[in-house]
Amino acid sequence: MSLFNPLPVTRRPTKQEIQHLYHLFLKTSKAFSNYNFREYFLRKAKHDFEQRNKLTEDKDIINSYNQALKDYAVLKRQSAISQMYKFDQNVVEANPLFHHHQIKDD
Amino acid sequence: MQATTPTDPRVLDVMLNFFTGLYGNPHSRTHAYGWETDIEVEKARKHIADVINADPKEIIFTSGATESNNMCIKGVPRFYKSTKKHIITAQTEHKCILNSARHLQDEGFEVTYLPVKPDGLVDLELLEKSIRKDTCLVSIMSVNNEIGVVQPIEEIGRICKKHKVYFHSDCAQAYGKIPLDVNKMNIDLMSISSHKIYGPKGMGAVYVRRRPRVRLDPIITGGGQERGLRSGTLAPPLIAGFGEAARLMMEEYDYDSSHISKLSNKLKNALLSIEHTTLNGSPEHHYPGCVNISFAYIEGESLLMALKDIALSSGSACTSASLEPSYVLHALGKDDALAHSSIRFGLGRFTTEDEVDYVIDAITHRVDFLRELSPLWEMVKEGIDLDTIEWSGH
């Protein structure tokens, strides 16, 4: 995989580029120290990329990809900040009996 | 969610700009620092207005919904006091509405506190009958903070318009979560809170209609900011965060709504399948993010002990300092015992399905455990109707 390019694109991104960005979203979401934010951004990334895969028009794909790049920058900053301030674990997070619905695929 | 919500990291990301580089006073017109901040403030104002189909000029920033409610409930009657002396509200409103109304009574105004039907909804016929010649304001909340009941706002707006009475709605719980349109619903004034939509605390707004113009006496006077209705230097970091939170509420509306509905249905179905449990408030006119359930023969506080690690509440957070049963449930005709045995569950953007499973599991076990301890429950099991028993006085 080539280096991640944070500059907006003007041509249609390849399937690999989209896939790569998706994996960056998953990885960055997982880095949140806060359980609820981590779960939310994972769930959201999965949903958003499912929606993106349904797009067919070049213009829509480019816009959506560029939006995702911007969202990714926010996510990256915020997950870094989240790691700087740690609080007690959520009771559900601490109890593996209740980890049925977490997104596991990477 | 009703008590509060966590600040969305995307909101914090916007706010951090203001705590680091963008420090200008938005009211300073003479230098670029001020302009930049002013542009961001106005951008936020537009995001906030867009959610309710208002004009940005109609949004006045305040410190939160409590201030907004005080401003409307006190401000409108005071402005029109030479001709109008009466306001109407409901018994299930938030304390800040009720206490502002009480304050007005001390100033010589008359207040009608409408009772609600057993499902928590306002009786529209009774509302219309209660409007007098000297009524200047009707204030009915959109979504109740304790039971999640959604009032028929559009119908109430129509009645108010017909009788030429101003209509204020406390939409702290509703804004961004159910469809609201100030024009379609004839809302003249609306209170909005930032921390209920994943924005920062200490921030809110009031919508004040411009056409036809609604006048009110400001509570805070000074430099005349915010159309003279709320003086004081604005707080750009909070405003920008609030604006971003509002923008996200619109952008994420479908995704959030379906997530919250799914979790809400799961929670409701599981808890209501326990015997002798009831959902408080109308099941049809109901915001799914707020579920209030009574567990008969159980004391709500002892049930909460089992769940102390998860944010839930019996009654509302604002009154959690007292063990007094909820006045909202009383207004629905529930007795003390049932009001004491009720718990409110808040579901939001960041609630996970695993958390809902945890709560269902913990509540189900705890209810069983507590009922096994209870002599009342033994009698219920034996088929004794508790209402027929004459308890000896002590």
Side-chain angles (χ1 to χ4, degrees):
Chain A
M1 187 63 62
S2 61
L3 276 173
F4 176 68
N5 178 12
L7 293 171
V9 297
T10 47
R11 46 142 190 99
R12 182 180 167 146
T14 64
K15 271 219 163 74
Q16 284 78 9
E17 280 173 319
I18 295 175
Q19 198 61 22
H20 180 56
L21 186 57
Y22 175 51
H23 282 294
L24 287 174
F25 263 85
L26 293 185
K27 196 177 143 206
T28 313
S29 302
K30 279 182 185 159
F32 272 91
S33 70
N34 178 299
Y35 160 78
N36 294 84
F37 293 157
R38 190 167 66 232
E39 292 295 311
Y40 170 77
F41 286 112
L42 276 171
R43 186 160 54 78
K44 187 77 184 15
K46 203 169 174 224
H47 171 84
D48 285 353
F49 278 83
E50 272 167 14
Q51 299 302 311
R52 281 194 182 104
N53 286 340
K54 289 181 190 157
L55 299 174
T56 49
E57 296 291 317
D58 275 9
K59 188 177 73 138
D60 296 339
I61 294 172
I62 292 169
N63 286 342
S64 158
Y65 186 79
N66 285 335
Q67 184 57 47
L69 286 178
K70 277 189 208 159
D71 293 346
Y72 177 66
V74 175
L75 205 63
K76 194 138 178 67
R77 281 196 294 272
Q78 289 302 314
S79 72
I81 289 172
S82 166
Q83 288 162 39
M84 294 172 205
Y85 299 88
K86 292 205 174 155
F87 301 92
D88 287 349
Q89 270 197 330
N90 174 307
V91 63
V92 175
E93 178 186 15
N95 191 338
L97 283 173
F98 291 94
H99 292 182
H100 309 305
H101 301 283
Q102 287 179 11
I103 293 165
K104 291 184 181 81
D105 58 321
D106 197 339
Chain B
M1 289 267 185
Q2 41 287 131
T4 191
T5 58
T7 307
D8 193 305
R10 293 167 289 189
V11 169
L12 177 64
D13 197 68
V14 170
M15 290 172 68
L16 282 175
N17 290 303
F18 293 83
F19 288 119
T20 47
L22 289 173
Y23 56 82
N25 180 341
H27 308 300
S28 301
R29 310 269 179 215
T30 50
H31 52 73
Y33 291 120
W35 300 335
E36 264 178 24
T37 317
D38 185 49
I39 289 168
E40 296 302 319
V41 164
E42 293 315 312
K43 216 193 273 175
R45 203 189 294 276
K46 172 140 181 32
H47 289 320
I48 292 156
D50 284 347
V51 175
I52 53 171
N53 191 26
D55 187 290
K57 293 192 188 92
E58 297 173 314
I59 301 294
I60 309 295
F61 290 119
T62 66
S63 64
T66 292
E67 186 188 327
S68 301
N69 283 333
N70 269 269
M71 197 168 146
C72 297
I73 297 291
K74 294 173 184 167
V76 176
R78 280 178 186 164
F79 189 90
Y80 294 99
K81 67 172 180 254
S82 57
T83 49
K84 313 260 181 172
K85 275 271 163 231
H86 178 234
I87 71 167
I88 299 172
T89 183
Q91 290 174 358
T92 52
E93 291 291 314
H94 193 275
K95 282 277 181 194
C96 64
I97 297 272
L98 297 175
N99 286 336
S100 296
R102 298 243 187 285
H103 194 84
L104 279 185
Q105 284 178 297
D106 295 342
E107 289 178 26
F109 291 93
E110 283 172 49
V111 182
T112 301
Y113 300 93
L114 288 178
V116 293
K117 297 184 282 188
D119 62 2
L121 293 173
V122 166
D123 183 338
L124 295 175
E125 263 178 59
L126 184 63
L127 167 68
E128 189 156 12
K129 269 193 253 161
S130 306
I131 296 177
R132 318 189 312 209
K133 268 205 171 115
D134 64 346
T135 305
C136 74
L137 183 74
V138 169
S139 176
I140 304 287
M141 74 200 324
S142 293
V143 171
N144 185 276
N145 52 315
E146 284 194 32
I147 53 175
V149 159
V150 182
Q151 298 291 354
I153 293 300
E154 200 167 339
E155 283 82 354
I156 297 171
R158 201 172 302 136
I159 291 170
C160 291
K161 193 174 186 183
K162 185 173 138 196
H163 294 276
K164 296 197 173 65
V165 178
Y166 290 127
F167 176 32
H168 165 255
S169 186
D170 173 8
C171 289
Q173 303 289 339
Y175 177 85
K177 297 174 185 172
I178 62 167
L180 289 171
D181 181 325
V182 287
N183 296 317
K184 203 172 123 209
M185 298 174 162
N186 291 310
I187 298 172
D188 296 306
L189 304 115
M190 181 195 290
S191 302
I192 308 169
S193 173
S194 153
H195 78 100
K196 313 264 186 195
I197 59 164
Y198 317 98
K201 292 174 183 56
M203 189 65 222
V206 56
Y207 157 82
V208 182
R209 182 176 287 286
R210 289 175 82 220
R211 290 203 185 85
R213 188 169 172 204
V214 180
R215 316 279 307 259
L216 61 157
D217 230 21
I219 292 180
I220 297 178
T221 48
Q225 291 91 342
E226 300 295 279
R227 289 168 53 197
L229 295 176
R230 210 281 190 182
S231 290
T233 299
L234 291 172
L238 299 181
I239 289 169
F242 182 18
E244 179 65 3
R247 192 189 69 77
L248 286 169
M249 286 310 275
M250 273 186 96
E251 194 177 284
E252 307 288 357
Y253 185 82
D254 292 337
Y255 184 68
D256 280 351
S257 299
S258 75
H259 176 69
I260 292 166
S261 292
K262 183 181 138 196
L263 297 189
S264 178
N265 287 334
K266 185 172 193 177
L267 183 72
K268 262 190 300 191
N269 292 339
L271 295 183
L272 294 176
S273 71
I274 303 173
E275 52 184 334
H276 296 280
T277 55
T278 40
L279 178 75
N280 292 313
S282 164
E284 294 86 28
H285 305 275
H286 181 244
Y287 167 61
C290 177
V291 177
N292 191 311
I293 293 180
S294 290
F295 300 85
Y297 320 113
I298 299 266
E299 219 267 315
E301 296 288 329
S302 48
L303 199 48
L304 281 183
M305 286 297 288
L307 298 159
K308 55 183 185 305
D309 302 321
I310 290 218
L312 301 164
S313 131
S314 73
S316 73
C318 312
T319 52
S320 63
S322 72
L323 282 175
E324 207 180 292
S326 149
Y327 68 93
V328 173
L329 293 175
H330 272 168
L332 265 60
K334 308 272 175 191
D335 61 18
D336 263 5
L338 215 57
H340 257 310
S341 65
S342 303
I343 296 194
R344 154 182 101 141
F345 302 86
L347 303 160
R349 179 182 289 166
F350 297 109
T351 310
T352 69
E353 195 164 355
D354 285 339
E355 285 179 311
V356 172
D357 287 346
Y358 176 91
V359 165
I360 291 170
D361 185 77
I363 294 256
T364 311
H365 284 105
R366 192 73 181 178
V367 165
D368 265 357
F369 174 78
L370 289 170
R371 279 181 177 168
E372 284 309 317
L373 293 179
S374 158
L376 289 182
W377 180 245
E378 220 167 279
M379 292 161 86
V380 173
K381 283 285 209 192
E382 285 164 15
I384 301 168
D385 182 357
L386 297 183
D387 290 337
T388 63
I389 297 174
E390 279 187 42
W391 306 98
S392 59
H394 48 80

